[in-house]
């Protein structure tokens, strides 16, 4: 181990192993996780060693190979699709595997299909006798589902639906696993019966032959070309020309077209939203928080190995993490990684509870859950994306090398800002819920627990008198609460003013949209701070960990105030003098957390294979590894350019003027 | 432009579908052709070469960049006449292809930390070059991996047992004719990166590699045959090249951001989504306030940076004229200005390009254009941005100290002269608050000036307090560095608003002036709304004024909306140069996206080979 990294570990103020166990939810789970990760990493088929050197075709092939091998492996190890190991398997594979959409295909059939449909399709899919995908997004239409243009017309004479892509913007575009792999897909299309449109419905459509994998008649499909990341996934396009599917292929748990063309709706449509809602929460942990933790691990370990300039004349060049500016870049991101880990725990718990309620046909919590999932998905993905980018840039030139692992973490997490609902639109959905709740609260009606603070809103000033007061969770949580409530109430007031002055409702909404999005973000930020403080509070039994977690919580909260000073100062809740105290307290925390920075990222417990970074490995042998890996680059194997172009150029006589 | 775009020799398959080796090969092919064609057409003017090159490579880096941009100029400025005779013509004729090898694996912006050594051996009159550690391996230089046969290597000079600091040496690295690496030289490509796929950024390790004494660049410092070292007149002069490149990056920030804005704004006019009013067709997404709020401030920023870029280029020309006449008095300010503006504009452009891309939703994620990955390293190269900001801060602090000791300062920092007066009459600051008129750019310049003055003063005072508290100057500096960076940012922000405002009066066409004034106001007001804390805390603006500012920003969005597409059209990027399906001038996005995707290598065969290799066996087995 590089001595620069070893010395960081000797001064840890807490036990890394204990913190890891606590993050995992118990030492047993840590054990299970490590066993799963080890089993995967020891298997050469799952190796990601040459990933950075592979072409899109090679990446795709490797992902398919891994997906196929994974079935075998799971069978061998006795892991099941709904066992506790599953999430650790995905952690170990770092998402680098095909057929993720096959799972969504299965999930949508289970959720939206009748018992008969489930009985027919699920066994086939489980045995991989068909490979599924999920075709919702179109070239011209994304988050706004009602705008989809694909049509499915019911033909009563043959008892079939006729599916069509009426124009180019209606082509299905982006679905994963669809470009090359899938044989079937769930197509979302506008249902027409006798000329009347009944809105968007899901249909199972076969797109490729089960014999030779060629495209079925009427189907045009292929890969959509290179993207910023996800080279291993064959995101695809799909065009349908008079493709006929039997009546039974419309997923009909909630709506059915009867043989005579009568349309029957049964059950609540709200449950459909719950699928989206739960996916949004599920992705936060694997697709967002894990990459953020990895980026922090890489950047912080590298920052104690890299030395640059001198802090004291005559001394050795200093570790870059000893510079205040470097600490101020990285440590708030580390605090955010912890904050989001805890808010994710909180959301998962909330959802499990909510799911239970919904099973009992009680839909009361649905609006709140929906608002939660939209707002937090947007806030966490946006925050984490910029955090990963900060980590990338904090590693200077070497961060820009693919071998650092940071560019691919970044381009991957970036996609999370868009898929499963574009962030701005999601924030506006949360805002809608907040404005409604605010109206209810101000007329004394009951509101969901997370927004009761809107009823208790009162003008006032922050009571803090010294910089140490700002290390009190009550003080800063209160400040966040006040700020969120103020933004929501002032936007609500403005909306009302506009409407009263005769502006149409939807116009008024658009004119306030920027502030609405800001208010929604503020609300989520407040809940995150509050939850972090409460999590620390509950740690009483583990004093060693509690102390450092308290520091991180303070840092997360004060960083937010420091970087958004205006909204706290605006109505005089904080005074200029108090803002100076915040700044001092905030900057004073940096060197304190600095001492535990490496142990804090060690606790995330990523293996070197999993990080796949020349800069971030546990032993800190950064430069040796970088040199070794670079030599493996295929660009070093051949240089056709020399013989073909450089040689004639070097010997070019024409240029002798 | 037409010369290049219509030349069939420069056509090739879409780069996004090629592997790195293929992209490198295409770039080399085009560079080779380009050099021959430039000579054939007799193009020699640097400005024309620049345009020719940017069309050949469509704004992407290419393997000969370092040869043309660093190797040749360094020969011109730092080689003796005798050395120029030996190297310049062969290099001009590309018998010698060179690069500039400065950065090492373990050392970047802090030049004095470089570890490569060049030890003089008087017995043979040679320098012995060595890479003593892994961290000292040269790492990153463009064109070094596969293309170059020479490199200008920066190394610590040792002669007569003493280290004389960094000097530049011309080192042959590959055999002329066979292109094989020379004995004692290990050289190769550093592997894949975020972007720069066509560039062979390389590594170079030297083991007791000997070069003749005459290969040290000796226009300034010299080593005589017996090993006696002759010092240069001023060691600051060698930093000139860096200052120049940094000033170019400012212009590059403007161009890259303009390209991103062009793509995002055109696409936003083509894309329709959701409903604004129930029952009506889906509106253009550019009609949504949130979308305007994302894009228009960036458009204003692109214009602002454009003017800053032009200003800094002129200033550089003017000052370097003075320097040639021996007047070094303006060098510190020039250095501070380019460092700070390089950092400020590249950070902002970097974030802005990203914002543009995200504003294009899912299709922005498609590999239709890679401005971001090509641009983002400029935050690091030619001086890491945080370090740059701290250099500006050092100049600001020095100026502040001069003012406090009664001296006056000139140039962009002259506002600091007013500070002591304000301290005596605190009501002066208070009086200022009411005078800010939020619809008057000139008045907003004053507001930014006041903010910069306050943040510089705060940082300086904090630094002073730390200096009294801590014995070590360096500790005190480090403990104040976050404040210092903020002060530098505020200073740069002020300079930009000031330059933008000054530009307005130069515009003669009334309609153009009107639209630029709207953009200038938007730039200034948006900056205030994003940094309200600074303006409120310093008492420059009141709460009520901040509310007005926020309101005004939104009004300006609606005012700019009708001109938005025309404003990006004025940047006049050719479709080929934009290289984006989303940003096409004709707006036929969806048709072309489909055509583009069909060319993807994954679509070469209708059934992908992995079906036979993996899928089919699995389906058979399960």
């Amino acid at each position: 181990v590089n001595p620069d990294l070893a010395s960081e570990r000797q001064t840890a103020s807490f036990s890394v192993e204990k913190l890891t166990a606590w993050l995992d939810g118990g030492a047993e789970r840590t054990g299970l996780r490590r066993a799963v990760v080890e089993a995967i990493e020891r298997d050469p088929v799952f190796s990601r060693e040459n990933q950075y050197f592979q072409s899109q075709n090679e990446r795709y092939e490797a992902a398919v190979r891994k997906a196929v091998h994974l079935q075998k492996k799971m069978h061998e190890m006795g892991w099941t699709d709904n066992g506790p190991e599953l999430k650790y398997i995905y952690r170990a594979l770092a998402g680098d595997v095909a057929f993720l959409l096959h799972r969504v295909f299965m999930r949508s059939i289970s959720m939206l299909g009748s018992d008969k449909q489930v009985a027919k399709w699920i066994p086939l899919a489980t045995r991989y006798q068909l490979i599924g995908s999920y075709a919702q997004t179109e070239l011209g239409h994304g988050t706004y589902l009602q705008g989809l243009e694909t049509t499915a017309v019911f033909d009563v004479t043959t008892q079939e639906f006729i599916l069509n892509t009426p124009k180019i913007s209606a082509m299905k575009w982006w679905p994963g696993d669809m470009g090359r792999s899938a044989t079937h897909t769930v197509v979302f299309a506008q249902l027409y019966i006798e000329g009347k449109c009944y809105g968007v419905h899901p249909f199972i459509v076969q797109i490729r032959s089960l014999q030779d994998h060629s495209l079925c008649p009427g189907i045009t499909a292929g890969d959509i070309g290179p993207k910023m990341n996800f080279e291993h996934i064959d995101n695809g396009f799909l065009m349908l020309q008079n493709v006929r599917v039997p009546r039974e292929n419309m997923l009909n748990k909630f709506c059915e077209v009867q043989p005579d063309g009568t349309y029957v709706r049964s059950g609540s449509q709200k449950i459909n939203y719950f699928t989206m809602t739960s996916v949004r929460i599920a992705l936060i942990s694997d697709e967002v928080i894990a990459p953020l933790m990895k980026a922090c691990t890489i950047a912080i370990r590298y920052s104690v190995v890299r030395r640059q300039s001198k802090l004291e004349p005559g001394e050795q060049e200093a570790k870059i993490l000893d510079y205040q500016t470097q600490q101020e870049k990285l440590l708030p991101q580390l605090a955010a990684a912890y904050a989001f880990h805890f808010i994710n725990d909180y959301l998962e718990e909330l959802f499990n509870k909510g799911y239970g309620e919904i099973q009992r046909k009680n839909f009361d919590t649905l609006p709140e859950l929906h608002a939660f999932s939209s707002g937090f998905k947007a806030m966490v993905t946006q925050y984490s994306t910029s955090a990963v980018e900060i980590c990338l840039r904090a590693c200077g030139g070497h961060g820009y090398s693919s071998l650092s692992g940071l560019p691919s973490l970044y381009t991957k997490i970036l996609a999370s800002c868009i898929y499963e609902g574009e962030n701005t639109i999601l924030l506006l959905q949360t805002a809608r819920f907040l404005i409604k709740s605010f109206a209810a609260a101000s007329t004394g009606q009951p509101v969901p627990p997370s927004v009761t603070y809107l009823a208790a809103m009162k003008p006032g000033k922050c009571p803090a008198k010294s910089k140490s007061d700002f290390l009190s969770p009550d003080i800063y949580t209160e400040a966040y609460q006040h700020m969120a409530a103020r933004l929501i109430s002032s936007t609500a007031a403005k909306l009302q003013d506009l409407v009263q002055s005769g502006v149409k409702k939807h116009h008024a909404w658009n004119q306030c949209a920027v502030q609405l999005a800001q208010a929604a973000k503020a609300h989520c930020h407040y809940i995150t701070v509050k939850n972090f403080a409460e999590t620390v509070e509950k740690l009483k039994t583990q004093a060693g960990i509690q102390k450092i977690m308290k520091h991180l919580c303070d840092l997360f909260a004060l960083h937010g105030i420091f970087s958004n000073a205006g909204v706290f100062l605006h109505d005089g809740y904080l005074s200029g003098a108090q803002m100076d105290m915040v700044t001092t307290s905030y900057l004073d925390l940096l060197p304190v957390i600095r001492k535990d920075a490496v142990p804090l990222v060690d606790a995330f417990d990523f293996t070197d294979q999993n990080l796949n970074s020349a800069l971030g490995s546990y032993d800190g042998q950064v430069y040796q590894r970088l040199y070794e890996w670079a030599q493996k680059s295929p660009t070093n194997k051949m240089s056709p350019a020399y013989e073909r172009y450089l040689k004639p150029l070097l010997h070019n006589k024409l240029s002798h003027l | 432009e037409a010369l290049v775009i219509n030349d069939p020799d420069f056509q090739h398959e879409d780069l996004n579908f090629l592997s790195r080796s293929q992209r490198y090969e295409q770039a080399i092919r085009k560079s080779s052709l380009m050099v021959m064609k430039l000579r054939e057409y007799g193009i020699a003017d640097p400005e024309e070469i620049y345009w020719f090159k940017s069309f050949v490579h469509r704004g992407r880096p290419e393997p000969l960049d370092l040869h043309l941009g660093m190797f040749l100029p360094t020969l011109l400025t730092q080689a003796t006449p005798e050395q120029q005779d030996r190297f310049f013509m062969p290099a001009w004729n590309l018998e010698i292809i060179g690069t500039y090898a400065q950065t090492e694996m373990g050392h970047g912006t802090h030049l004095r930390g470089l570890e490569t050594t060049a030890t003089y051996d008087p017995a043979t009159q040679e320098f012995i070059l060595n890479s003593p550690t892994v961290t000292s391996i040269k790492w990153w230089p463009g064109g070094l991996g596969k293309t170059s046969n020479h490199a200008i290597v920066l190394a610590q000079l040792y002669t007569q047992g003493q280290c004389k600091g960094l000097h530049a040496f011309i080192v042959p690295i590959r055999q002329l004719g066979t292109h094989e690496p020379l004995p004692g030289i290990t050289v190769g490509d550093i592997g894949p990166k975020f972007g720069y796929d066509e560039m062979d950024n390389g590594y170079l390790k030297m083991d007791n590699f000997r070069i003749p004494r005459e290969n040290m660049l000796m226009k300034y410092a010299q080593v005589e045959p017996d090993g006696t070292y002759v010092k240069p007149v001023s060691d600051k002069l060698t930093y000139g090249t860096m200052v120049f490149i940094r000033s170019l990056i400012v212009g590059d920030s403007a161009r890259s951001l303009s390209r991103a804005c062009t793509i995002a704004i055109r696409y936003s006019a083509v894309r329709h989504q959701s409903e604004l009013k129930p029952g009506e067709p889906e509106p253009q997404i550019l009609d949504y306030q949130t979308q305007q709020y994302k894009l228009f401030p960036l458009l204003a920023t692109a214009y602002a940076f454009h003017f800053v870029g032009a200003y800094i280029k002129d200033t550089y020309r003017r000052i370097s004229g003075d320097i040639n006449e021996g007047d070094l008095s303006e060098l510190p300010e020039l250095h501070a200005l380019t460092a700070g503006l390089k950092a400020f504009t590249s950070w902002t452009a970097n974030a802005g390009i990203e914002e543009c891309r995200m504003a294009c939703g899912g299709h922005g994620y498609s590999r239709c254009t890679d401005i971001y990955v090509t641009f983002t390293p400029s935050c690091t190269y030619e001086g890491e941005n945080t370090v740059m900001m701290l250099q500006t801060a050092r100049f600001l602090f020095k100026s502040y100290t001069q003012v406090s000791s009664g001296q006056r300062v000139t140039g962009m920092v002259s506002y600091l002269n007013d500070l002591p007066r304000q301290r005596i009459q605190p009501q002066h600051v208070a009086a200022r608050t009411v005078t800010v008129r939020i619809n008057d750019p000139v008045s907003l310049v004053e507001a930014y000036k006041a903010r910069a003055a306050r943040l510089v003063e705060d940082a300086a005072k904090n630094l002073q307090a730390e200096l009294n508290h801590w014995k070590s100057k360096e500790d005190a500096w480090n403990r104040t560095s976050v404040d210092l960076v903020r002060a530098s940012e505020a200073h740069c922000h002020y300079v930009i608003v000031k330059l933008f405002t000054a530009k307005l009066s130069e515009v003669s066409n009334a309609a153009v002036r009107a639209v630029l004034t709207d953009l200038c106001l938007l730039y200034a007001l948006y900056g205030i709304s994003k940094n309200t804390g600074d303006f409120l805390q310093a008492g420059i603006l009141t709460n009520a004024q901040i509310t007005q500012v926020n309101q005004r920003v939104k009004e300006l969005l609606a005012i700019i909306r009708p001109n938005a597409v025309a404003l990006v059209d004025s940047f006049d990027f050719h479709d080929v140069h934009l290289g984006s399906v989303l940003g096409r001038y004709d707006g036929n996005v969806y048709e072309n996206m489909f055509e583009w995707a069909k060319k993807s290598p994954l679509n070469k065969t209708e059934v992908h080979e992995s079906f036979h290799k993996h899928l089919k066996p699995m389906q058979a087995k399960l």
Side-chain angles (χ1 to χ4, degrees), chain A residues 53-108:
Chain A
F53 304 131
Q54 289 171 332
S55 71
Q56 199 183 355
N57 262 327
E58 290 164 335
R59 289 288 304 275
Y60 166 67
E61 194 188 319
V64 171
R65 189 174 62 233
K66 285 182 196 178
V68 170
H69 188 68
L70 181 61
Q71 297 312 313
K72 214 175 107 194
K73 190 92 190 169
M74 288 180 70
H75 188 71
E76 248 173 54
M77 304 291 296
W79 299 335
T80 61
D81 267 352
N82 30 27
E85 295 92 355
L86 198 69
K87 71 182 219 190
Y88 301 137
I89 294 173
Y90 281 96
R91 173 171 157 129
L93 293 170
D96 203 25
V97 61
F99 305 155
L100 295 178
L101 266 285
H102 182 69
R103 287 173 187 284
V104 178
F105 173 81
M106 287 170 67
R107 193 193 310 200
S108 60

Side-chain angles (χ1 to χ4, degrees), chain A residues 11 64 77 93 133 142 186 190 220 310 327 360 412 515 648:
Chain A
T11 54
V64 171
M77 304 291 296
L93 293 170
S133 172
V186 173
Q190 303 283 358
T220 311
K310 290 176 187 178
Q327 293 167 7
R360 271 174 259 129
K412 194 158 187 198
Q515 280 158 303

